[in-house]
Amino acid sequence: MSDRIVVLDYGSQYSQLIARRVRELQVFCELKGWNASQEDLLTPETKGIILSGGPNSIYADGAPYIQDFLLESGLPILGICYGMQALTHKLGGKVATSSQHEYGKAVVTVEEPNALLPRGEHQVWMSHGDRIEALPNGFEVIGRSENSPFAAMANNDRGYYGLQYHPEVYHTKHGTEVFRRFVIDICGCQPNWTPKSIIHDAVEAIRAQVGDAPVLSAVSGGVDSSVATALVEKALGKNVYAFFVDTGLLRLNERQQVEETFRPRLGEHFHTIDARARFIGNLEGVTEPETKRRIVGETFIREFEAAARGFGEVRYLVQGTIYPDVVESQGLGTGHGQRIKTHHNVGGLPADMQFEVVEPLRMLFKDEVREVGEALGLPHELVWRQPFPGPGLAVRVVGEVTQKRVQTLQHADAIFTSELEKAGLMHLMEREDGSLSGTSQAFAVLLPVRSVGVMGDQRTYAETVSLRAVTTNDFMTADWARLPYGLLAHVSNRIVNEVEGVNRVVYDVSSKPPATIEWE
C-alpha cells in the first residue's frame, strides 16, 4: 500500500485543493471529516495529518476541534488557517479576533532557515479574521506578515507546524514547495502514487469486487467513462459489455464520434442504445435543475436495466464517477460543507436500482484520470477532451428541455467550440509568467430569456445564448477566460445569423466561486 496523508476537513472551500496538491507530489492523500474515527485516520499507511481551514471561530459554540488521539499519535501535523488556530488553542496558545483582518494577497517574510518554509518574502493568500496572539509552549515564529506577527509557526521536536495563510491556492507562490517539505521531508512519504500504481490497485479492487461476473459499462464518450471502461476491460477482459446511450442531450455529431472511437476497440461488446425520445419525454415540463439531474440519472439506470436483461442476470454497472462528483454531491470536503449540486451518477441514482455500482475512478481528480487514460493507451484526443456534464445539455438548456431547444443549443455550441479550435484556444496553456491562456472548458448555454431584436428590418423576439469559457488547473476553482474581443464578436455574429431562434449572445464573466462552471 502507498503511504498516505490525511487532510481533516474543517469546512474550508479549499480542502479538496490540499488533497490535490499532495497528490501532485505522487503521494496518496484522502480527505476525511475532522471528527473521523481513530481507526479510519490512523492506519499503518498514514504518515502525516493536515488540518484544513474553515469558516468558524475556535471559540464559537460547537466549533470543530482536534481530537486527542491525533496528538498522541506522534504523527507530524500541519495546520492551515483555522487548522493552525485549532492547533494553537489545543496546545495552550492564544487565538483572538484581530482588528486587522486579512483577506486576499499578502506578503509573509521568512527570515531564518527552517524545515517548512524557504527563506525570503512570499506572496500568499490570506483569508482569516481571528489570528494567533500567543504561541503554545515549544513553538517558534518562522514567518510574519504585516497584520500577523505569527503568520507561520513550528515545533520541530514534535513535527507540528502552522500556517495562517493558504499554501494550497494558486495565488500563493511556493505553495508546492511547502507541501513537498512537509509531505516528503518531514513526514517521510515515498512518492509512489503514480498512474502505474493507480492502475494496479484499481485492477485488483475491480477483480475483488466483481470476480468473474459480467459487467455493463456506461460509455458517454467523455474521458471519465472512457477511462473507467478501459480499467474494467483491463481487469475483466471479455466480461465487459459497454453501452453508449444516445440521450438526445449530446453535443452536435457526438454519437457518430463516440461510435467511431469505441466500436473498433470493443467490437461486438460495444452497443448503442437510442433513448432520445424517452429522455426528452421524461424531461417535459421540468425546469428545476436538481429535478433534471435526478430524472436523467434514473432514466440512465432504467435504460441499462433493460439492456442487462438481454445478457441474463448482470449485477454490476461501471460508472465514471470521479472525486469532484462525490465532493459536490455530498457537500464540500466530507459532508461538513454545503452540497453544491447532485451529480446524476452519485446523488441521482434511484434507490431501487438493480445494479451494484463499480466506480474505479471515485477517488481520482480529473488530472489523475487523464494520466491513467494515457497510461492505458487511450487516444490522446479522447483523454484530453473537454469535460461534459453527465446530464448533458439538459443542464445547459436552462429552463424546460425540448428537442427544438436542444437542437438550437447544439448548433450554437458547435459554432463557439469550432471557432475556439481554429484560434488555438480550445485547450489550456501556461505562459512564461505562470498565467493561463486558452480554455480549460468552453461551451454555450441557452437561456430562457427572450428579447427584442432587429434582423432584416424585421422585429424579432428570440432567445439568448450565453458563452462560457474558463481557465482552471483543478476545476475546484476557475476564472473566466479572457478571450479576444474580435473572436467573441465573430462567434456572436455567426450564432445570430446561423442559429434559428437566437438574436442575442452574451459572455459570462463569472469566476468559481461564487458561480459554478456549469449554469445548472
Side-chain angles (χ1 to χ4, degrees):
M1 290 291 292
S2 300
D3 291 339
R4 180 177 83 148
I5 295 292
V6 172
V7 176
L8 297 187
D9 179 20
Y10 286 88
S12 171
Q13 62 179 313
Y14 303 129
S15 296
Q16 306 83 15
L17 289 183
I18 301 173
R20 188 177 181 276
R21 296 293 176 256
V22 174
R23 292 197 192 179
E24 287 174 350
L25 301 170
Q26 296 187 325
V27 174
F28 182 58
C29 183
E30 281 192 84
L31 192 59
K32 298 289 185 179
W34 66 268
N35 56 353
S37 69
Q38 181 172 348
E39 293 74 22
D40 196 15
L41 298 179
L42 302 185
T43 64
E45 297 78 28
T46 304
K47 304 300 181 183
I49 305 291
I50 299 177
L51 314 176
S52 83
N56 296 281
S57 169
I58 194 66
Y59 297 113
D61 291 340
Y65 56 88
I66 299 175
Q67 300 185 83
D68 290 336
F69 66 78
L70 293 173
L71 301 179
E72 296 166 358
S73 70
L75 293 174
I77 297 176
L78 170 62
I80 296 173
C81 199
Y82 180 86
M84 177 188 187
Q85 296 165 13
L87 185 63
T88 298
H89 180 67
K90 184 73 173 180
L91 296 174
K94 184 179 180 181
V95 180
T97 300
S98 172
S99 59
Q100 300 291 326
H101 296 185
E102 285 185 299
Y103 297 104
K105 293 181 181 179
V107 174
V108 168
T109 301
V110 180
E111 297 179 349
E112 300 297 331
N114 66 90
L116 186 66
L117 303 179
R119 294 178 64 184
E121 292 189 344
H122 300 255
Q123 178 184 296
V124 304
W125 186 261
M126 293 280 193
S127 181
H128 67 95
D130 293 354
R131 71 175 188 179
I132 311 302
E133 291 201 343
L135 297 182
N137 290 335
F139 281 79
E140 63 177 335
V141 179
I142 59 173
R144 295 178 173 85
S145 72
E146 182 177 356
N147 294 319
S148 293
F150 306 115
M153 66 181 190
N155 183 326
N156 293 306
D157 292 338
R158 300 186 69 177
Y160 292 169
Y161 302 87
L163 300 174
Q164 189 60 78
Y165 63 89
H166 291 273
E168 69 272 23
V169 303
Y170 178 76
H171 305 286
T172 293
K173 304 303 180 184
H174 307 298
T176 298
E177 173 63 14
V178 173
F179 283 114
R180 190 198 66 78
R181 290 188 176 205
F182 179 73
V183 171
I184 305 296
D185 298 343
I186 295 170
C187 296
C189 291
Q190 296 298 312
N192 52 17
W193 175 252
T194 63
K196 182 178 179 180
S197 70
I198 293 171
I199 292 170
H200 177 269
D201 292 346
V203 166
E204 286 195 345
I206 292 165
R207 289 171 177 167
Q209 180 183 359
V210 174
D212 295 327
V215 301
L216 298 184
S217 188
V219 177
S220 69
V223 58
D224 301 333
S225 66
S226 300
V227 174
T229 299
L231 269 175
V232 176
E233 182 188 22
K234 181 176 180 66
L236 305 176
K238 294 301 183 180
N239 275 347
V240 179
Y241 297 89
F243 285 82
F244 167 65
V245 177
D246 185 351
T247 65
L249 304 169
L250 305 172
R251 289 167 287 199
L252 192 66
N253 299 324
E254 190 155 21
R255 174 172 173 170
Q256 177 184 346
Q257 294 168 2
V258 170
E259 290 178 335
E260 289 176 352
T261 297
F262 283 95
R263 198 172 297 283
R265 184 181 183 93
L266 298 172
E268 62 182 12
H269 283 245
F270 177 80
H271 305 269
T272 297
I273 302 172
D274 190 341
R276 290 173 290 181
R278 290 185 288 279
F279 274 87
I280 297 294
N282 289 347
L283 289 166
E284 183 177 358
V286 177
T287 60
E288 206 280 318
E290 287 292 277
T291 304
K292 289 182 185 179
R293 290 177 177 275
R294 287 192 290 271
I295 288 172
V296 171
E298 180 167 358
T299 306
F300 261 113
I301 295 302
R302 300 311 176 208
E303 293 297 330
F304 281 111
E305 287 174 345
R309 288 192 283 271
F311 294 87
E313 186 176 346
V314 180
R315 290 175 48 201
Y316 297 98
L317 174 66
V318 179
Q319 291 196 144
T321 308
I322 65 173
Y323 202 27
D325 298 340
V326 178
V327 166
E328 292 191 343
S329 292
Q330 298 181 351
L332 292 178
T334 54
H336 298 284
Q338 186 177 23
R339 185 178 70 185
I340 304 301
K341 59 188 176 185
T342 299
H343 287 261
H344 81 284
N345 56 350
V346 181
L349 301 178
D352 62 343
M353 77 171 186
Q354 302 171 13
F355 295 109
E356 180 178 333
V357 178
V358 180
E359 298 174 313
L361 311 179
R362 189 178 178 87
M363 292 301 296
L364 301 185
F365 288 102
K366 177 71 74 173
D367 57 324
E368 293 172 323
V369 174
R370 295 192 196 280
E371 291 173 0
V372 168
E374 289 197 324
L376 288 168
L378 290 176
H380 180 82
E381 61 273 15
L382 177 61
V383 170
W384 290 97
R385 195 174 191 183
Q386 288 200 354
F388 189 60
L393 298 184
V395 292
R396 292 181 180 173
V397 172
V398 180
E400 184 178 7
V401 179
T402 66
Q403 185 174 355
K404 181 179 179 181
R405 296 191 77 213
V406 169
Q407 291 173 343
T408 297
L409 180 57
Q410 285 175 328
H411 284 89
D413 182 77
I415 289 171
F416 183 35
T417 54
S418 66
E419 291 296 339
L420 287 174
E421 195 72 61
K422 289 179 186 177
L425 296 172
M426 196 58 184
H427 302 285
L428 189 67
M429 297 169 286
E430 186 168 349
R431 300 187 180 98
E432 290 184 3
D433 63 0
S435 62
L436 302 177
S437 65
T439 61
S440 304
Q441 190 169 358
F443 54 90
V445 179
L446 184 63
L447 305 182
V449 176
R450 293 183 180 273
S451 62
V452 174
V454 178
M455 300 177 72
D457 296 326
Q458 298 291 319
R459 177 187 185 274
T460 62
Y461 191 58
E463 290 192 297
T464 301
V465 165
S466 175
L467 305 179
R468 178 70 159 148
V470 300
T471 59
T472 176
N473 282 319
D474 47 51
F475 290 89
M476 288 297 182
T477 62
D479 195 11
W480 59 278
R482 272 61 171 179
L483 297 179
Y485 291 155
L487 173 66
L488 291 173
H490 179 59
V491 171
S492 175
N493 185 63
R494 281 197 61 191
I495 289 175
V496 297
N497 280 283
E498 298 176 31
V499 181
E500 184 179 356
V502 175
N503 68 353
R504 191 176 298 270
V505 177
V506 299
Y507 188 52
D508 184 346
V509 294
S510 307
S511 62
K512 175 187 178 180
T516 55
I517 294 176
E518 298 288 345
W519 274 55
E520 291 192 337

